[in-house]
Amino acid sequence: MKKSEGSTAGFLVPSIIGILLFMLPVYYDEKWTIIVKIVADIIAAAIGDFLPLLCLIIVTLSALLGIGFLSKPNLITNYPMVKTTFSTTAIWVAIRVLGTIFIWMTFFEIGADDEGSIAQMITSADNGGFVLNDLLTVLVIIFLLAGLLLPLLLDFGLLEFIGAMLTKIMRPIFTIPGRAAVDCITSWIGDGTLGVMLTNNQYEGGYYSKREAAIIATTFSAVSITFSIVVLAQVDLMEYFGLYYLLICTVGVVCAIIVPRIPPLSLKKDEYLVEGKAMGETLPEGFNSSFEYGLYLAKERVAQHRGIGQFIENGFKNAAGMWFGVLPVVMCIGTLALVLANHTTIFDTLGLPFLPLLNLLDVPQAAEVSKTMIVGFTDMFTPSVIAASTITSPMAKFIVAVISVTQLIYLSEVGGLILGSQIPVNLAELFIIFLERTIISLIIVTPVAHLFFAG
């Protein structure tokens, strides 16, 4: 076995702490939850009155600095962290600006007394008021804590270790190269957008074929633990987090086995942008097992880490990205979706094709649940927002919470990033994959939900 300059303790200690904080269910205040959520609740209780104003400030700064980035002033482009946080395209700046308009209207109740007006619809407690006071005030604390602490999972070799351990199963089970395990685990534990960026980088470098890049980006760019926590908390079912995340992982694996083997992904060709770069699947010389190789990679990652300064820098970078990148999108798309759900029949109509399947699976409040099925293609949070405000059945809320995460491809983040990358998947193909994942998820999740919510 080759020697590494990093220490085993440097790999194990932070990784175990990260697992305990983010993945270990604990029983607290008469319900099951995770430690990060407990700390978030304590902070929220202490500064709850200030949180709506904090959200207003964050969303407003996001729009202003997003506009500023488009004109590229030195204030933004000369600072890498600021540039990374606020760099965006015109369409996403427009969404941030619209989210800012909505949050100012809601915070100051502009037009709230004008019965039947568009302003009243936006600011009402069931629409913009719900998004600001019930959703964003939860997200802002979760994002801060998760952003600051996620480097424990990402920066000390855990991904490299798990990736090496999974190398031998990736090709036969998921039809993709073993090196993709790192991309997959990065997405699953860390962030789906990071997984897409890693995949695009590997595809452009010639390490993945068109087919492999399309499969990895659309099948393994999973919703992070952070987002999963927020979704379940939104429907007030954190006591089921263990079952919830187990189901997400199970459905994710099943989808990763089935979806690459059916169109449109199965029709992609094994062609490379750069020939001759794809690597073999054999264990590197000098290693006797995947465990030895994984430990070596993990210790190498530890050796490259710059210490507490890098940890803090990465933590704030994560938190800032989620604060300024996600909160405005949630305010904009969440408010619009609730206005449409509460004042139009558009989601009723779009969800009609799912009603026969939902009724066949005996899903409670099937008509209300059907409204959440298609909207997940636009944004991952919106189904749970609609479920929290329109569905009363805990079982139905649980099903929506799981499905909204396992659908995976939402245009407000992962889907939009795929479309903007070199990865060879178009909008129509994304929507077909989204529908395939939705149907597979429903068939798996609903029977389990019946078992746990019986009576």
Side-chain angles (χ1 to χ4, degrees):
M1 178 180 174
K2 294 182 180 180
K3 298 295 183 181
S4 170
E5 295 180 5
S7 69
T8 302
F11 155 55
L12 287 176
V13 173
S15 298
I16 290 173
I17 293 174
I19 292 171
L20 292 176
L21 290 174
F22 284 95
M23 305 179 71
L24 182 70
V26 295
Y27 193 72
Y28 177 80
D29 197 19
E30 300 184 351
K31 61 182 179 182
W32 287 97
T33 184
I34 58 175
I35 295 174
V36 167
K37 184 61 172 61
I38 294 173
V39 177
D41 289 341
I42 293 172
I43 295 174
I47 62 172
D49 293 340
F50 173 67
L51 292 179
L53 176 60
L54 176 61
C55 294
L56 176 75
I57 294 170
I58 291 170
V59 173
T60 303
L61 283 175
S62 175
L64 292 175
L65 291 174
I67 293 171
F69 177 80
L70 293 181
S71 60
K72 303 187 184 301
N74 292 336
L75 175 65
I76 293 177
T77 55
N78 286 349
Y79 297 92
M81 183 171 176
V82 178
K83 180 180 178 181
T84 301
T85 302
F86 295 101
S87 61
T88 186
T89 61
I91 188 169
W92 293 113
V93 169
I95 289 174
R96 292 183 183 191
V97 170
L98 196 55
T100 301
I101 294 171
F102 288 166
I103 200 170
W104 275 77
M105 291 177 65
T106 303
F107 186 83
F108 292 104
E109 299 183 345
I110 298 172
D113 297 329
D114 191 2
E115 192 67 32
S117 68
I118 294 178
Q120 194 273 333
M121 291 181 188
I122 291 172
T123 60
S124 72
D126 293 331
N127 300 322
F130 181 85
V131 176
L132 172 57
N133 299 308
D134 292 82
L135 180 55
L136 261 61
T137 52
V138 174
L139 291 179
V140 71
I141 299 298
I142 288 288
F143 282 175
L144 176 63
L145 284 177
L148 293 176
L149 298 174
L150 268 178
L152 292 168
L153 293 178
L154 302 179
D155 294 352
F156 295 94
L158 181 63
L159 302 185
E160 285 76 7
F161 177 75
I162 296 176
M165 295 293 288
L166 292 178
T167 294
K168 292 183 178 179
I169 70 172
M170 298 301 288
R171 178 67 72 181
I173 296 179
F174 303 120
T175 74
I176 54 179
R179 65 186 289 113
V182 176
D183 303 51
C184 303
I185 299 300
T186 299
S187 296
W188 219 299
I189 296 179
D191 180 31
T193 57
L194 180 58
V196 173
M197 288 185 283
L198 281 173
T199 301
N200 186 58
N201 176 272
Q202 296 289 285
Y203 173 60
E204 290 180 340
Y207 298 102
Y208 295 153
S209 68
K210 290 182 177 180
R211 182 187 62 83
E212 291 165 351
I215 289 172
I216 296 165
T218 61
T219 306
F220 290 97
S221 297
V223 176
S224 69
I225 293 175
T226 307
F227 287 139
S228 301
I229 294 168
V230 172
V231 168
L232 194 63
Q234 180 57 39
V235 295
D236 197 26
L237 292 173
M238 278 301 295
E239 64 268 27
Y240 294 99
F241 181 77
L243 171 65
Y244 170 72
Y245 204 70
L246 178 62
L247 269 175
I248 289 173
C249 293
T250 302
V251 171
V253 170
V254 173
C255 285
I257 293 171
I258 296 174
V259 175
R261 291 175 167 85
I262 59 178
L265 290 179
S266 64
L267 302 178
K268 300 291 181 182
K269 298 185 181 300
D270 277 315
E271 299 173 347
Y272 295 85
L273 285 181
V274 181
E275 296 292 338
K277 289 292 188 73
M279 299 177 67
E281 302 291 296
T282 58
L283 203 64
E285 186 178 348
F287 297 97
N288 298 318
S289 67
S290 297
F291 177 86
E292 285 186 0
Y293 183 48
L295 186 60
Y296 170 80
L297 291 177
K299 292 165 70 174
E300 281 292 284
R301 183 63 185 270
V302 171
Q304 296 167 8
H305 200 272
R306 302 194 308 270
I308 188 67
Q310 182 182 352
F311 181 87
I312 294 173
E313 178 185 343
N314 289 346
F316 276 106
K317 188 182 299 181
N318 292 336
M322 290 187 282
W323 264 19
F324 296 102
V326 178
L327 290 183
V329 175
V330 174
M331 187 68 212
C332 176
I333 295 180
T335 300
L336 288 174
L338 284 177
V339 169
L340 292 174
N342 292 326
H343 299 280
T344 74
T345 60
I346 184 171
F347 292 135
D348 303 61
T349 303
L350 292 174
L352 284 176
F354 283 93
L355 264 179
L357 178 59
L358 292 171
N359 286 324
L360 179 65
L361 295 171
D362 196 24
V363 175
Q365 296 183 263
E368 287 77 8
V369 172
S370 69
K371 297 180 183 180
T372 70
M373 294 292 102
I374 297 298
V375 71
F377 188 57
T378 62
D379 182 72
M380 182 268 291
F381 283 119
T382 308
S384 63
V385 172
I386 294 174
S389 60
T390 63
I391 296 175
T392 57
S393 165
M395 175 180 165
K397 287 183 177 181
F398 182 83
I399 291 173
V400 171
V402 176
I403 299 298
S404 67
V405 173
T406 57
Q407 286 174 321
L408 192 60
I409 302 167
Y410 49 103
L411 294 180
S412 65
E413 193 174 276
V414 169
L417 188 58
I418 291 173
L419 294 176
S421 71
Q422 293 293 316
I423 296 169
V425 184
N426 60 42
L427 181 61
E429 291 170 334
L430 279 181
F431 186 64
I432 293 171
I433 296 167
F434 168 85
L435 293 177
E436 292 170 348
R437 295 185 63 90
T438 302
I439 293 170
I440 294 170
S441 299
L442 277 170
I443 292 172
I444 297 173
V445 171
T446 305
V448 177
H450 274 293
L451 180 65
F452 279 86
F453 288 86

